[in-house]
Amino acid sequence: MMVGNPLLGRIQNREAKVGVVGLGYVGLPLGMAFAEAGFPVTGLDVDQRKIDKIAKGESYIKHIPSAPLAELTNAGKLKATNDFAKARELDCVVICVPTPLTASREPDMSFIVATGEALAPYVRPGQLFILESTTYPGTTEEVLKPLLEKNGLKAGVDFFLAFSPEREDPGNKGFNTKTIPKVVGGYSPACLEVATALYGSALKEVVPVSSTRVAELAKLLENIYRCVNIAMVNEMKMLCDRMNVDVWEVIQAASTKPFGFQPFYPGPGLGGHCIPIDPFYLTWKAREFEFHTKFIELAGEVNWQMPYYVVQRTMEALNQNKKVLNGAKVLCIGAAYKKDIDDHRESPSLRVMTLLKEKGADISYHDPFVKELHKGHGFNMEMKSVPLDPETLNQYDAVMILTDHSHIDYNELVQRSNIVVDTRNATKAVTQGREKIIKA
């Protein structure tokens, strides 16, 4: 029978060695939070570039400053390695790896499986393993647990197992890893106790729930809530375009109601690692229970179709200037999925650029935070960000605002461009040249 008190004591004394697998937008700030709380932290990642950067105390994520990272690494509180054998020395291992969709929009468990297989040889009694990757309910018990039990040790008996969904919002200055409430579900009551103690030692608030499945589904609900409401307002935008009504003005007016209404805003599609993906995780799992999530699937489809709508509006705008998309020079503003960050995972900008290229457009892009784009995840081009030069804007047949970064002078952009296709209402304050603006 597993003895939990020794690990609890080590956690309470900040002696427990904590490992974080996957040092991306979730894993790096989480590892830093544990290190700042006094735990010795080891990051595990297959990307040597990240390991080298951490060793030098250099951040590779825009909203995470290098100074606090360097302070932790210089003090020996945070280190990184690609040697998964180091997991044997760790007391607590938190897994923060990607969970994308396959080409057929089904859950891609390959990163979780690969991580579980890499950790399996080094599982020892008394360890705690926590999965943070956004996924369908049942993943922790059905996918990760059997992998960790390969050498005969049992979850809830020999080692602890839990799920705690990540809640990162890159660029949000109001919340960070330490201040966002942390939902935690354990495989057993003892697993929940230990996982809650670990997070409670480093984060402001922990919210325990009764099982890993509840925690997994809570994360999906959070993001599907946003997905459904964004789909509704995206559909409203398309209707407003036909009615010749400004959807942004409609939303602003509705937002004056002090109760019963929360504003959501349209765009060229959904981006980020969670909101565009989560509905399809749940609908895939629901089929196992012979349940069709019609409402959720419809919302997902509306949002997935938005890049096509944006391209169609661009074709119409060019047509008004007696131009065709095939052969047109198009400058896309923004590759990140939202303003003022460097995260372009699942960015609708990439899908829009792909569709433009497929239709023969000569495309360039500008994004000060995303200097280069590489092939992968359905994007098949190698591109570099071009300077935003006011003197050359009129050389483009159309300029598309796909991400409304704050550094851009939209007044000048509109005045110097031939056509501006605005998908983010970035030009709302522009007073001159509004006849050039096409809302999409």
mmCIF file of all heavy atoms in Angstrom, residues 2 127-131 138-141 144-145 155-157 159-165 182-197 199 206-217:
data_model
loop_
_atom_site.group_PDB
_atom_site.id
_atom_site.type_symbol
_atom_site.label_atom_id
_atom_site.label_comp_id
_atom_site.label_asym_id
_atom_site.label_seq_id
_atom_site.Cartn_x
_atom_site.Cartn_y
_atom_site.Cartn_z
ATOM 1 N N MET A 2 0.498 2.239 -0.815
ATOM 2 C CA MET A 2 1.302 3.443 -0.960
ATOM 3 C C MET A 2 1.227 4.302 0.298
ATOM 4 O O MET A 2 0.189 4.481 0.899
ATOM 5 C CB MET A 2 0.791 4.247 -2.152
ATOM 6 C CG MET A 2 1.516 5.548 -2.387
ATOM 7 S SD MET A 2 1.028 6.277 -3.963
ATOM 8 C CE MET A 2 -0.742 6.386 -3.749
ATOM 9 N N GLN A 127 5.860 8.515 -6.361
ATOM 10 C CA GLN A 127 5.891 9.680 -7.239
ATOM 11 C C GLN A 127 4.477 10.192 -7.530
ATOM 12 O O GLN A 127 3.497 9.453 -7.432
ATOM 13 C CB GLN A 127 6.578 9.347 -8.568
ATOM 14 C CG GLN A 127 8.099 9.292 -8.506
ATOM 15 C CD GLN A 127 8.692 8.988 -9.862
ATOM 16 O OE1 GLN A 127 8.329 7.999 -10.514
ATOM 17 N NE2 GLN A 127 9.624 9.826 -10.305
ATOM 18 N N LEU A 128 4.406 11.458 -7.925
ATOM 19 C CA LEU A 128 3.160 12.077 -8.362
ATOM 20 C C LEU A 128 3.283 12.463 -9.830
ATOM 21 O O LEU A 128 4.250 13.117 -10.223
ATOM 22 C CB LEU A 128 2.865 13.336 -7.529
ATOM 23 C CG LEU A 128 1.787 14.287 -8.054
ATOM 24 C CD1 LEU A 128 0.411 13.616 -8.063
ATOM 25 C CD2 LEU A 128 1.745 15.574 -7.222
ATOM 26 N N PHE A 129 2.312 12.058 -10.636
ATOM 27 C CA PHE A 129 2.255 12.438 -12.046
ATOM 28 C C PHE A 129 0.950 13.204 -12.284
ATOM 29 O O PHE A 129 -0.125 12.749 -11.901
ATOM 30 C CB PHE A 129 2.303 11.205 -12.948
ATOM 31 C CG PHE A 129 3.624 10.492 -12.907
ATOM 32 C CD1 PHE A 129 3.842 9.489 -11.964
ATOM 33 C CD2 PHE A 129 4.652 10.825 -13.775
ATOM 34 C CE1 PHE A 129 5.066 8.835 -11.902
ATOM 35 C CE2 PHE A 129 5.875 10.175 -13.726
ATOM 36 C CZ PHE A 129 6.090 9.185 -12.784
ATOM 37 N N ILE A 130 1.077 14.371 -12.914
ATOM 38 C CA ILE A 130 -0.097 15.205 -13.209
ATOM 39 C C ILE A 130 -0.094 15.543 -14.695
ATOM 40 O O ILE A 130 0.912 16.004 -15.235
ATOM 41 C CB ILE A 130 -0.080 16.521 -12.408
ATOM 42 C CG1 ILE A 130 0.031 16.240 -10.909
ATOM 43 C CG2 ILE A 130 -1.336 17.343 -12.701
ATOM 44 C CD1 ILE A 130 0.196 17.501 -10.066
ATOM 45 N N LEU A 131 -1.219 15.323 -15.346
ATOM 46 C CA LEU A 131 -1.390 15.714 -16.745
ATOM 47 C C LEU A 131 -2.094 17.066 -16.787
ATOM 48 O O LEU A 131 -3.100 17.265 -16.097
ATOM 49 C CB LEU A 131 -2.212 14.673 -17.495
ATOM 50 C CG LEU A 131 -2.490 14.947 -18.978
ATOM 51 C CD1 LEU A 131 -1.194 14.992 -19.783
ATOM 52 C CD2 LEU A 131 -3.428 13.880 -19.553
ATOM 53 N N GLY A 138 -11.408 11.304 -19.682
ATOM 54 C CA GLY A 138 -10.998 9.895 -19.685
ATOM 55 C C GLY A 138 -9.556 9.699 -20.089
ATOM 56 O O GLY A 138 -9.002 8.606 -19.905
ATOM 57 N N THR A 139 -8.915 10.724 -20.620
ATOM 58 C CA THR A 139 -7.540 10.575 -21.126
ATOM 59 C C THR A 139 -6.565 10.155 -20.035
ATOM 60 O O THR A 139 -5.730 9.272 -20.233
ATOM 61 C CB THR A 139 -7.053 11.890 -21.762
ATOM 62 O OG1 THR A 139 -7.930 12.252 -22.821
ATOM 63 C CG2 THR A 139 -5.643 11.736 -22.310
ATOM 64 N N THR A 140 -6.657 10.796 -18.866
ATOM 65 C CA THR A 140 -5.706 10.501 -17.794
ATOM 66 C C THR A 140 -5.752 9.027 -17.419
ATOM 67 O O THR A 140 -4.707 8.381 -17.279
ATOM 68 C CB THR A 140 -6.008 11.365 -16.556
ATOM 69 O OG1 THR A 140 -6.016 12.742 -16.935
ATOM 70 C CG2 THR A 140 -4.957 11.155 -15.478
ATOM 71 N N GLU A 141 -6.964 8.502 -17.289
ATOM 72 C CA GLU A 141 -7.111 7.112 -16.855
ATOM 73 C C GLU A 141 -6.974 6.114 -18.006
ATOM 74 O O GLU A 141 -6.466 5.008 -17.812
ATOM 75 C CB GLU A 141 -8.458 6.922 -16.162
ATOM 76 C CG GLU A 141 -8.581 7.722 -14.863
ATOM 77 C CD GLU A 141 -9.883 7.443 -14.136
ATOM 78 O OE1 GLU A 141 -10.509 6.402 -14.425
ATOM 79 O OE2 GLU A 141 -10.281 8.265 -13.298
ATOM 80 N N LEU A 144 -2.922 7.783 -20.286
ATOM 81 C CA LEU A 144 -1.679 7.972 -19.535
ATOM 82 C C LEU A 144 -1.457 6.898 -18.472
ATOM 83 O O LEU A 144 -0.347 6.369 -18.336
ATOM 84 C CB LEU A 144 -1.682 9.360 -18.881
ATOM 85 C CG LEU A 144 -0.417 9.734 -18.107
ATOM 86 C CD1 LEU A 144 0.804 9.713 -19.029
ATOM 87 C CD2 LEU A 144 -0.569 11.091 -17.445
ATOM 88 N N LYS A 145 -2.484 6.563 -17.722
ATOM 89 C CA LYS A 145 -2.354 5.604 -16.617
ATOM 90 C C LYS A 145 -1.770 4.259 -17.061
ATOM 91 O O LYS A 145 -0.808 3.761 -16.452
ATOM 92 C CB LYS A 145 -3.710 5.412 -15.945
ATOM 93 C CG LYS A 145 -3.756 4.358 -14.833
ATOM 94 C CD LYS A 145 -5.135 4.357 -14.188
ATOM 95 C CE LYS A 145 -5.322 3.154 -13.282
ATOM 96 N NZ LYS A 145 -5.532 1.901 -14.059
ATOM 97 N N ALA A 155 -1.338 2.967 -10.264
ATOM 98 C CA ALA A 155 -1.791 4.304 -9.865
ATOM 99 C C ALA A 155 -2.738 4.188 -8.685
ATOM 100 O O ALA A 155 -3.584 3.286 -8.630
ATOM 101 C CB ALA A 155 -2.485 4.998 -11.031
ATOM 102 N N GLY A 156 -2.598 5.074 -7.713
ATOM 103 C CA GLY A 156 -3.454 5.051 -6.540
ATOM 104 C C GLY A 156 -3.026 4.047 -5.501
ATOM 105 O O GLY A 156 -3.557 4.033 -4.393
ATOM 106 N N VAL A 157 -2.072 3.209 -5.870
ATOM 107 C CA VAL A 157 -1.531 2.213 -4.938
ATOM 108 C C VAL A 157 -0.045 2.451 -4.725
ATOM 109 O O VAL A 157 0.436 2.571 -3.595
ATOM 110 C CB VAL A 157 -1.769 0.774 -5.452
ATOM 111 C CG1 VAL A 157 -1.147 -0.256 -4.507
ATOM 112 C CG2 VAL A 157 -3.256 0.513 -5.622
ATOM 113 N N PHE A 159 1.835 4.825 -6.953
ATOM 114 C CA PHE A 159 2.158 6.212 -7.273
ATOM 115 C C PHE A 159 0.873 7.020 -7.406
ATOM 116 O O PHE A 159 -0.222 6.460 -7.543
ATOM 117 C CB PHE A 159 3.008 6.316 -8.554
ATOM 118 C CG PHE A 159 2.316 5.851 -9.811
ATOM 119 C CD1 PHE A 159 1.552 6.727 -10.569
ATOM 120 C CD2 PHE A 159 2.432 4.539 -10.246
ATOM 121 C CE1 PHE A 159 0.918 6.306 -11.734
ATOM 122 C CE2 PHE A 159 1.799 4.106 -11.405
ATOM 123 C CZ PHE A 159 1.048 5.000 -12.152
ATOM 124 N N PHE A 160 1.015 8.338 -7.334
ATOM 125 C CA PHE A 160 -0.130 9.239 -7.388
ATOM 126 C C PHE A 160 -0.358 9.714 -8.824
ATOM 127 O O PHE A 160 0.592 9.904 -9.582
ATOM 128 C CB PHE A 160 0.106 10.456 -6.497
ATOM 129 C CG PHE A 160 0.371 10.119 -5.054
ATOM 130 C CD1 PHE A 160 1.667 10.090 -4.569
ATOM 131 C CD2 PHE A 160 -0.674 9.841 -4.190
ATOM 132 C CE1 PHE A 160 1.929 9.797 -3.239
ATOM 133 C CE2 PHE A 160 -0.427 9.538 -2.858
ATOM 134 C CZ PHE A 160 0.867 9.517 -2.381
ATOM 135 N N LEU A 161 -1.633 9.939 -9.179
ATOM 136 C CA LEU A 161 -1.981 10.374 -10.535
ATOM 137 C C LEU A 161 -3.106 11.403 -10.453
ATOM 138 O O LEU A 161 -4.072 11.231 -9.701
ATOM 139 C CB LEU A 161 -2.433 9.174 -11.370
ATOM 140 C CG LEU A 161 -2.820 9.445 -12.828
ATOM 141 C CD1 LEU A 161 -1.624 9.948 -13.634
ATOM 142 C CD2 LEU A 161 -3.403 8.184 -13.468
ATOM 143 N N ALA A 162 -2.982 12.475 -11.226
ATOM 144 C CA ALA A 162 -3.998 13.531 -11.204
ATOM 145 C C ALA A 162 -4.051 14.244 -12.543
ATOM 146 O O ALA A 162 -3.166 14.094 -13.394
ATOM 147 C CB ALA A 162 -3.707 14.530 -10.081
ATOM 148 N N PHE A 163 -5.117 15.025 -12.711
ATOM 149 C CA PHE A 163 -5.252 15.891 -13.881
ATOM 150 C C PHE A 163 -5.586 17.291 -13.400
ATOM 151 O O PHE A 163 -6.448 17.483 -12.527
ATOM 152 C CB PHE A 163 -6.354 15.410 -14.831
ATOM 153 C CG PHE A 163 -6.520 16.299 -16.038
ATOM 154 C CD1 PHE A 163 -5.718 16.127 -17.156
ATOM 155 C CD2 PHE A 163 -7.461 17.326 -16.058
ATOM 156 C CE1 PHE A 163 -5.841 16.962 -18.265
ATOM 157 C CE2 PHE A 163 -7.599 18.158 -17.153
ATOM 158 C CZ PHE A 163 -6.782 17.973 -18.260
ATOM 159 N N SER A 164 -4.902 18.284 -13.991
ATOM 160 C CA SER A 164 -5.179 19.688 -13.676
ATOM 161 C C SER A 164 -5.056 20.494 -14.955
ATOM 162 O O SER A 164 -3.954 20.694 -15.466
ATOM 163 C CB SER A 164 -4.201 20.213 -12.624
ATOM 164 O OG SER A 164 -4.467 21.576 -12.332
ATOM 165 N N PRO A 165 -6.163 20.962 -15.496
ATOM 166 C CA PRO A 165 -6.110 21.630 -16.802
ATOM 167 C C PRO A 165 -5.364 22.961 -16.748
ATOM 168 O O PRO A 165 -5.532 23.740 -15.808
ATOM 169 C CB PRO A 165 -7.583 21.847 -17.150
ATOM 170 C CG PRO A 165 -8.287 21.868 -15.827
ATOM 171 C CD PRO A 165 -7.538 20.920 -14.958
ATOM 172 N N LYS A 182 -6.705 27.079 -9.874
ATOM 173 C CA LYS A 182 -6.244 25.812 -10.455
ATOM 174 C C LYS A 182 -7.197 24.687 -10.101
ATOM 175 O O LYS A 182 -7.319 24.287 -8.937
ATOM 176 C CB LYS A 182 -4.848 25.484 -9.924
ATOM 177 C CG LYS A 182 -4.058 24.543 -10.814
ATOM 178 C CD LYS A 182 -3.482 25.285 -11.996
ATOM 179 C CE LYS A 182 -2.511 24.430 -12.801
ATOM 180 N NZ LYS A 182 -3.185 23.468 -13.684
ATOM 181 N N VAL A 183 -7.907 24.164 -11.096
ATOM 182 C CA VAL A 183 -8.778 23.009 -10.901
ATOM 183 C C VAL A 183 -7.920 21.743 -10.867
ATOM 184 O O VAL A 183 -7.032 21.560 -11.707
ATOM 185 C CB VAL A 183 -9.821 22.916 -12.030
ATOM 186 C CG1 VAL A 183 -10.616 21.620 -11.937
ATOM 187 C CG2 VAL A 183 -10.753 24.122 -11.981
ATOM 188 N N VAL A 184 -8.187 20.858 -9.918
ATOM 189 C CA VAL A 184 -7.408 19.623 -9.778
ATOM 190 C C VAL A 184 -8.339 18.460 -9.511
ATOM 191 O O VAL A 184 -9.201 18.522 -8.632
ATOM 192 C CB VAL A 184 -6.384 19.720 -8.618
ATOM 193 C CG1 VAL A 184 -5.543 18.440 -8.544
ATOM 194 C CG2 VAL A 184 -5.485 20.931 -8.779
ATOM 195 N N GLY A 185 -8.162 17.381 -10.267
ATOM 196 C CA GLY A 185 -8.895 16.147 -10.030
ATOM 197 C C GLY A 185 -7.932 14.989 -9.856
ATOM 198 O O GLY A 185 -6.987 14.861 -10.638
ATOM 199 N N GLY A 186 -8.124 14.154 -8.848
ATOM 200 C CA GLY A 186 -7.225 13.031 -8.586
ATOM 201 C C GLY A 186 -7.828 11.702 -8.966
ATOM 202 O O GLY A 186 -9.058 11.553 -9.002
ATOM 203 N N TYR A 187 -6.954 10.732 -9.247
ATOM 204 C CA TYR A 187 -7.411 9.379 -9.554
ATOM 205 C C TYR A 187 -8.034 8.734 -8.324
ATOM 206 O O TYR A 187 -8.919 7.879 -8.431
ATOM 207 C CB TYR A 187 -6.240 8.550 -10.074
ATOM 208 C CG TYR A 187 -6.573 7.106 -10.343
ATOM 209 C CD1 TYR A 187 -7.462 6.751 -11.352
ATOM 210 C CD2 TYR A 187 -6.003 6.092 -9.572
ATOM 211 C CE1 TYR A 187 -7.780 5.415 -11.586
ATOM 212 C CE2 TYR A 187 -6.304 4.756 -9.808
ATOM 213 C CZ TYR A 187 -7.197 4.427 -10.810
ATOM 214 O OH TYR A 187 -7.513 3.111 -11.044
ATOM 215 N N SER A 188 -7.597 9.143 -7.138
ATOM 216 C CA SER A 188 -8.129 8.658 -5.867
ATOM 217 C C SER A 188 -8.075 9.810 -4.876
ATOM 218 O O SER A 188 -7.429 10.830 -5.138
ATOM 219 C CB SER A 188 -7.296 7.485 -5.344
ATOM 220 O OG SER A 188 -6.005 7.952 -4.939
ATOM 221 N N PRO A 189 -8.744 9.702 -3.728
ATOM 222 C CA PRO A 189 -8.660 10.775 -2.734
ATOM 223 C C PRO A 189 -7.226 11.083 -2.311
ATOM 224 O O PRO A 189 -6.872 12.253 -2.122
ATOM 225 C CB PRO A 189 -9.488 10.228 -1.570
ATOM 226 C CG PRO A 189 -10.495 9.334 -2.217
ATOM 227 C CD PRO A 189 -9.755 8.685 -3.349
ATOM 228 N N ALA A 190 -6.407 10.061 -2.170
ATOM 229 C CA ALA A 190 -5.003 10.297 -1.789
ATOM 230 C C ALA A 190 -4.259 11.035 -2.899
ATOM 231 O O ALA A 190 -3.436 11.922 -2.628
ATOM 232 C CB ALA A 190 -4.321 8.967 -1.480
ATOM 233 N N CYS A 191 -4.548 10.688 -4.145
ATOM 234 C CA CYS A 191 -3.923 11.378 -5.288
ATOM 235 C C CYS A 191 -4.323 12.849 -5.297
ATOM 236 O O CYS A 191 -3.486 13.733 -5.543
ATOM 237 C CB CYS A 191 -4.345 10.722 -6.599
ATOM 238 S SG CYS A 191 -3.778 9.020 -6.823
ATOM 239 N N LEU A 192 -5.593 13.120 -5.028
ATOM 240 C CA LEU A 192 -6.078 14.492 -5.006
ATOM 241 C C LEU A 192 -5.404 15.284 -3.896
ATOM 242 O O LEU A 192 -5.010 16.436 -4.089
ATOM 243 C CB LEU A 192 -7.598 14.506 -4.814
ATOM 244 C CG LEU A 192 -8.249 15.886 -4.706
ATOM 245 C CD1 LEU A 192 -8.019 16.703 -5.962
ATOM 246 C CD2 LEU A 192 -9.749 15.749 -4.417
ATOM 247 N N GLU A 193 -5.237 14.658 -2.730
ATOM 248 C CA GLU A 193 -4.621 15.346 -1.597
ATOM 249 C C GLU A 193 -3.201 15.794 -1.919
ATOM 250 O O GLU A 193 -2.818 16.943 -1.648
ATOM 251 C CB GLU A 193 -4.606 14.419 -0.374
ATOM 252 C CG GLU A 193 -4.012 15.064 0.865
ATOM 253 C CD GLU A 193 -3.925 14.112 2.043
ATOM 254 O OE1 GLU A 193 -3.995 12.884 1.819
ATOM 255 O OE2 GLU A 193 -3.766 14.589 3.184
ATOM 256 N N VAL A 194 -2.425 14.909 -2.528
ATOM 257 C CA VAL A 194 -1.033 15.237 -2.825
ATOM 258 C C VAL A 194 -0.943 16.288 -3.932
ATOM 259 O O VAL A 194 -0.149 17.237 -3.845
ATOM 260 C CB VAL A 194 -0.248 13.967 -3.211
ATOM 261 C CG1 VAL A 194 1.176 14.316 -3.610
ATOM 262 C CG2 VAL A 194 -0.231 12.983 -2.044
ATOM 263 N N ALA A 195 -1.740 16.128 -5.003
ATOM 264 C CA ALA A 195 -1.707 17.094 -6.108
ATOM 265 C C ALA A 195 -2.157 18.475 -5.646
ATOM 266 O O ALA A 195 -1.572 19.496 -6.031
ATOM 267 C CB ALA A 195 -2.594 16.601 -7.253
ATOM 268 N N THR A 196 -3.195 18.513 -4.797
ATOM 269 C CA THR A 196 -3.672 19.787 -4.259
ATOM 270 C C THR A 196 -2.595 20.452 -3.409
ATOM 271 O O THR A 196 -2.404 21.674 -3.471
ATOM 272 C CB THR A 196 -4.949 19.563 -3.420
ATOM 273 O OG1 THR A 196 -5.964 19.000 -4.260
ATOM 274 C CG2 THR A 196 -5.450 20.870 -2.831
ATOM 275 N N ALA A 197 -1.880 19.653 -2.643
ATOM 276 C CA ALA A 197 -0.811 20.201 -1.809
ATOM 277 C C ALA A 197 0.296 20.803 -2.659
ATOM 278 O O ALA A 197 0.839 21.866 -2.338
ATOM 279 C CB ALA A 197 -0.243 19.102 -0.907
ATOM 280 N N TYR A 199 0.148 22.066 -5.842
ATOM 281 C CA TYR A 199 -0.277 23.323 -6.458
ATOM 282 C C TYR A 199 -0.510 24.411 -5.404
ATOM 283 O O TYR A 199 -0.202 25.585 -5.621
ATOM 284 C CB TYR A 199 -1.539 23.120 -7.287
ATOM 285 C CG TYR A 199 -1.305 22.429 -8.603
ATOM 286 C CD1 TYR A 199 -1.898 21.209 -8.892
ATOM 287 C CD2 TYR A 199 -0.484 23.002 -9.573
ATOM 288 C CE1 TYR A 199 -1.695 20.577 -10.115
ATOM 289 C CE2 TYR A 199 -0.271 22.382 -10.788
ATOM 290 C CZ TYR A 199 -0.875 21.161 -11.057
ATOM 291 O OH TYR A 199 -0.662 20.534 -12.267
ATOM 292 N N VAL A 206 -6.465 26.820 -5.276
ATOM 293 C CA VAL A 206 -6.653 25.491 -5.859
ATOM 294 C C VAL A 206 -8.106 25.082 -5.671
ATOM 295 O O VAL A 206 -8.682 25.265 -4.588
ATOM 296 C CB VAL A 206 -5.719 24.446 -5.211
ATOM 297 C CG1 VAL A 206 -5.944 23.070 -5.820
ATOM 298 C CG2 VAL A 206 -4.265 24.864 -5.374
ATOM 299 N N VAL A 207 -8.707 24.528 -6.730
ATOM 300 C CA VAL A 207 -10.111 24.113 -6.699
ATOM 301 C C VAL A 207 -10.177 22.600 -6.894
ATOM 302 O O VAL A 207 -10.105 22.107 -8.026
ATOM 303 C CB VAL A 207 -10.928 24.821 -7.799
ATOM 304 C CG1 VAL A 207 -12.401 24.438 -7.703
ATOM 305 C CG2 VAL A 207 -10.755 26.327 -7.719
ATOM 306 N N PRO A 208 -10.295 21.819 -5.820
ATOM 307 C CA PRO A 208 -10.358 20.358 -5.961
ATOM 308 C C PRO A 208 -11.714 19.914 -6.508
ATOM 309 O O PRO A 208 -12.750 20.475 -6.149
ATOM 310 C CB PRO A 208 -10.153 19.847 -4.531
ATOM 311 C CG PRO A 208 -9.777 21.039 -3.704
ATOM 312 C CD PRO A 208 -10.325 22.238 -4.413
ATOM 313 N N VAL A 209 -11.690 18.904 -7.370
ATOM 314 C CA VAL A 209 -12.925 18.289 -7.858
ATOM 315 C C VAL A 209 -12.834 16.781 -7.652
ATOM 316 O O VAL A 209 -11.778 16.245 -7.301
ATOM 317 C CB VAL A 209 -13.187 18.625 -9.346
ATOM 318 C CG1 VAL A 209 -13.424 20.116 -9.519
ATOM 319 C CG2 VAL A 209 -12.039 18.171 -10.230
ATOM 320 N N SER A 210 -13.928 16.086 -7.875
ATOM 321 C CA SER A 210 -14.046 14.696 -7.422
ATOM 322 C C SER A 210 -13.293 13.686 -8.258
ATOM 323 O O SER A 210 -13.072 12.559 -7.806
ATOM 324 C CB SER A 210 -15.526 14.304 -7.369
ATOM 325 O OG SER A 210 -16.113 14.384 -8.665
ATOM 326 N N SER A 211 -12.905 14.024 -9.490
ATOM 327 C CA SER A 211 -12.250 13.024 -10.343
ATOM 328 C C SER A 211 -11.453 13.700 -11.448
ATOM 329 O O SER A 211 -11.625 14.897 -11.720
ATOM 330 C CB SER A 211 -13.296 12.095 -10.970
ATOM 331 O OG SER A 211 -14.101 12.806 -11.906
ATOM 332 N N THR A 212 -10.617 12.918 -12.106
ATOM 333 C CA THR A 212 -9.873 13.438 -13.248
ATOM 334 C C THR A 212 -10.820 13.778 -14.391
ATOM 335 O O THR A 212 -10.601 14.752 -15.118
ATOM 336 C CB THR A 212 -8.826 12.417 -13.728
ATOM 337 O OG1 THR A 212 -9.484 11.177 -14.064
ATOM 338 C CG2 THR A 212 -7.777 12.157 -12.663
ATOM 339 N N ARG A 213 -11.882 13.007 -14.549
ATOM 340 C CA ARG A 213 -12.824 13.263 -15.645
ATOM 341 C C ARG A 213 -13.551 14.595 -15.474
ATOM 342 O O ARG A 213 -13.797 15.311 -16.447
ATOM 343 C CB ARG A 213 -13.838 12.113 -15.750
ATOM 344 C CG ARG A 213 -13.303 10.879 -16.469
ATOM 345 C CD ARG A 213 -14.356 9.777 -16.526
ATOM 346 N NE ARG A 213 -13.992 8.739 -17.472
ATOM 347 C CZ ARG A 213 -13.151 7.748 -17.210
ATOM 348 N NH1 ARG A 213 -12.579 7.684 -16.015
ATOM 349 N NH2 ARG A 213 -12.857 6.838 -18.123
ATOM 350 N N VAL A 214 -13.911 14.923 -14.244
ATOM 351 C CA VAL A 214 -14.553 16.216 -13.993
ATOM 352 C C VAL A 214 -13.600 17.349 -14.360
ATOM 353 O O VAL A 214 -13.985 18.331 -15.009
ATOM 354 C CB VAL A 214 -14.997 16.337 -12.523
ATOM 355 C CG1 VAL A 214 -15.436 17.767 -12.205
ATOM 356 C CG2 VAL A 214 -16.143 15.380 -12.223
ATOM 357 N N ALA A 215 -12.346 17.227 -13.964
ATOM 358 C CA ALA A 215 -11.360 18.265 -14.269
ATOM 359 C C ALA A 215 -11.141 18.382 -15.775
ATOM 360 O O ALA A 215 -11.025 19.489 -16.312
ATOM 361 C CB ALA A 215 -10.041 17.964 -13.557
ATOM 362 N N GLU A 216 -11.082 17.240 -16.459
ATOM 363 C CA GLU A 216 -10.885 17.250 -17.908
ATOM 364 C C GLU A 216 -12.062 17.916 -18.617
ATOM 365 O O GLU A 216 -11.877 18.723 -19.539
ATOM 366 C CB GLU A 216 -10.703 15.815 -18.410
ATOM 367 C CG GLU A 216 -9.368 15.198 -18.005
ATOM 368 C CD GLU A 216 -9.358 13.670 -18.101
ATOM 369 O OE1 GLU A 216 -10.442 13.049 -18.074
ATOM 370 O OE2 GLU A 216 -8.262 13.099 -18.186
ATOM 371 N N LEU A 217 -13.270 17.581 -18.175
ATOM 372 C CA LEU A 217 -14.459 18.125 -18.833
ATOM 373 C C LEU A 217 -14.676 19.592 -18.483
ATOM 374 O O LEU A 217 -15.200 20.363 -19.300
ATOM 375 C CB LEU A 217 -15.689 17.295 -18.457
ATOM 376 C CG LEU A 217 -16.966 17.543 -19.268
ATOM 377 C CD1 LEU A 217 -16.697 17.485 -20.768
ATOM 378 C CD2 LEU A 217 -18.038 16.544 -18.887
#
